[in-house]
């Protein structure tokens, strides 16, 4: 089978590999779609934490089930996706229902080789039925589940103001599921094109261009002087994360979905006087995946909004670098096999 490997930063090389042989309690998927996410782009750039080279990228995946062991209820030939965070099932996180932050986690395409292949073997326990969704939609479940998980971590309530910093694919998913939870969503970014996308495609009424206006003043105006009770960062920018503390209402919750390498800096008195809550949000759980798929089936989320670029597998190495350029307007590049 054909395989695409990121050998070093900014180098993708096609090669050949043997098709996987079925192992106990595993399944083999013929990959049909690969969504390109920020993790892949940052790995290509050389800025992704928890990463080593060479690595086969890709964890936003869907395909056809071609073989399975220990997967009752699944049938060969059906459309599937899977949860790409392979957990140990034994550590403190797994034992307390948080396999998404397993101590020994192996994320497909990050800690272990991922889905830029024709056939991929995964644990059978990670499989999810396609339930009538298209391959494109199924490949988008994982990034949207990250957004859904962040919203669930925040405990978003109907009617409250939620500021989402960063209008990339993960941020957009956060906005969608905050809206579904009944929140009044405020999109904050420095890319006017992305903010227009929020208005046109996601019906986000409040947008703030942090490069063109004072975000604090704008947030205060929108929230009638209160500031947002929930702030969620989806930028992975150290400066944006540090700035986000200033946007938070007294008694509010700040959730970090974005990830960066440096240290967080906060004025302790400002944080303390708010009695604010700071939390991280990592990956997603089966509950979040099912929530996303249910929202898709009900028409609450339209996955076609996200796919702005489509490319065949043979062209990925040639096109990949262009997806880093904001001028190209990429929201989600989808690879077809």
């Amino acid at each position: 089978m054909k395989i695409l490997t990121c050998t070093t930063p900014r180098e993708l090389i096609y090669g050949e590999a043997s098709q996987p042989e079925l192992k106990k309690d595993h399944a083999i998927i013929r990959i049909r779609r690969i969504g390109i996410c920020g993790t892949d782009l940052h790995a290509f750039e050389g800025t992704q934490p928890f990463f080593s080279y060479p690595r086969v990228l890709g964890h936003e995946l869907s395909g056809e089930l071609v073989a399975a062991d220990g997967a009752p209820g699944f049938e060969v030939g059906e459309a599937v996706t899977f949860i790409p965070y392979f957990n140990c099932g034994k550590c403190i996180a797994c034992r307390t229902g948080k396999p998404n932050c397993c101590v020994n986690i192996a994320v497909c395409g990050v800690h272990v080789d991922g889905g830029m292949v024709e056939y991929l073997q995964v644990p059978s326990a990670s499989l999810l039925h396609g339930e009538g969704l298209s391959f494109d939609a199924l490949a988008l479940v994982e990034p949207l589940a990250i957004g859904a998980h962040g919203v669930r971590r925040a405990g978003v309530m109907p009617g409250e103001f939620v500021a989402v910093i960063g209008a990339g694919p993960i941020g957009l998913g956060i906005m969608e599921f905050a809206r579904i939870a009944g929140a009044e969503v405020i999109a904050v970014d420095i890319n006017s094109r992305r903010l227009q996308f929020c208005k046109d495609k996601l019906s986000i009424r409040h947008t703030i261009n942090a490069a063109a206006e004072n975000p604090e003043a704008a947030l205060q105006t929108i929230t009638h002087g209160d500031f947002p009770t929930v702030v969620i960062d989806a930028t992975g920018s150290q400066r944006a994360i540090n700035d986000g503390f200033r946007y938070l209402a007294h008694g509010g919750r700040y959730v970090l979905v974005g990830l960066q390498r440096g240290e967080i800096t906060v004025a302790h008195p400002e944080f303390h006087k708010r009695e604010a809550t700071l939390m991280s949000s990592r990956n997603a759980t089966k509950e979040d995946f099912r929530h996303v798929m249910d929202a898709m089936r009900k028409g609450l989320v339209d996955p076609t909004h996200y796919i702005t670029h489509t490319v065949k597998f043979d062209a990925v190495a040639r096109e990949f670098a262009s997806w880093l350029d904001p001028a190209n307007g990429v929201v989600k590049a989808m690879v077809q096999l």
Side-chain angles (χ1 to χ4, degrees):
M1 66 176 180
K2 187 172 285 187
I3 183 170
L4 181 60
T5 304
C6 187
T7 55
T8 61
R10 293 195 169 270
E11 185 172 65
L12 290 165
I13 295 179
Y14 288 101
E16 297 288 329
S18 299
Q19 291 186 22
E21 295 183 5
L22 185 64
K23 298 189 298 185
K24 180 177 172 57
D25 295 325
H26 281 68
I28 297 174
I29 301 170
R30 182 180 182 182
I31 300 300
R32 290 300 194 184
R33 297 290 186 275
I34 308 166
I36 305 300
C37 77
T39 297
D40 301 321
L41 296 171
H42 295 152
F44 181 76
E45 285 182 308
T47 59
Q48 172 62 36
F50 315 131
F51 201 84
S52 61
Y53 303 87
R55 180 66 68 219
V56 179
L57 305 178
H59 63 268
E60 299 179 1
L61 304 163
S62 65
E64 298 169 11
L65 187 64
V66 297
D69 177 76
F74 285 87
E75 296 183 3
V76 169
E78 74 170 289
V80 295
T81 186
F82 67 97
I83 301 172
Y85 328 120
F86 307 144
N87 60 284
C88 71
K90 300 175 182 178
C91 71
I92 180 63
C94 291
R95 296 198 312 270
T96 53
K98 298 180 179 180
N100 55 298
C101 59
C102 169
V103 173
N104 305 300
I105 201 165
V107 177
C108 182
V110 178
H111 304 100
V112 296
D113 284 342
M116 289 197 178
V117 295
E118 292 180 287
Y119 294 88
L120 181 68
Q121 184 154 222
V122 302
S124 294
S126 69
L127 287 174
L128 294 169
H129 293 285
E131 298 179 357
L133 296 174
S134 69
F135 287 130
D136 283 342
L138 289 171
L140 285 166
V141 171
E142 190 273 341
L144 290 171
I146 290 176
H149 186 70
V151 169
R152 186 157 64 90
R153 286 279 287 155
V156 171
M157 301 294 289
E160 67 179 328
F161 283 101
V162 175
V164 181
I165 309 171
I170 298 299
L172 296 173
I174 294 168
M175 294 176 204
E176 290 257 60
F177 284 93
R179 172 183 56 78
I180 290 169
E184 192 76 29
V185 180
I186 307 167
V188 184
D189 203 283
I190 58 173
N191 186 319
S192 58
R193 230 161 149 186
R194 285 285 177 91
L195 292 172
Q196 194 61 48
F197 182 95
C198 293
K199 292 179 180 178
D200 296 343
K201 299 296 186 181
L202 306 187
S203 300
I204 302 300
R205 190 155 59 99
H206 306 292
T207 62
I208 299 172
N209 188 328
E213 55 188 313
N214 183 322
E216 284 184 79
L219 287 167
Q220 191 171 29
T221 298
I222 292 168
T223 61
H224 315 296
D226 290 336
F227 287 98
T229 48
V230 175
V231 175
I232 305 180
D233 178 85
T235 66
S237 160
Q238 186 179 39
R239 179 178 176 181
I241 290 170
N242 290 340
D243 286 347
F245 285 96
R246 303 199 310 270
Y247 306 156
L248 194 60
H250 281 236
R253 294 97 72 200
Y254 190 12
V255 182
L256 303 183
V257 178
L259 177 66
Q260 50 84 39
R261 289 179 178 271
E263 295 182 353
I264 297 169
T265 303
V266 57
H268 191 181
E270 290 296 319
F271 186 71
H272 190 87
K273 75 182 185 183
R274 287 169 169 79
E275 198 181 51
T277 299
L278 173 65
M279 64 186 85
S280 61
S281 178
R282 189 180 188 194
N283 300 325
T285 67
K286 184 172 285 189
E287 179 183 350
D288 302 308
F289 277 70
R290 286 174 172 161
H291 180 36
V292 170
M293 295 174 76
D294 184 57
M296 286 181 174
R297 287 193 302 273
K298 291 178 177 176
L300 299 174
V301 173
D302 185 347
T304 63
H305 285 161
Y306 292 85
I307 302 171
T308 54
H309 294 65
T310 302
V311 65
K312 297 293 186 182
F313 187 54
D314 290 344
V316 173
R318 182 177 68 248
E319 298 291 334
F320 204 96
S322 70
W323 299 332
L324 292 163
D325 186 351
N328 290 325
V330 179
V331 174
K332 177 64 63 178
M334 186 65 70
V335 180
Q336 297 179 339
L337 284 82

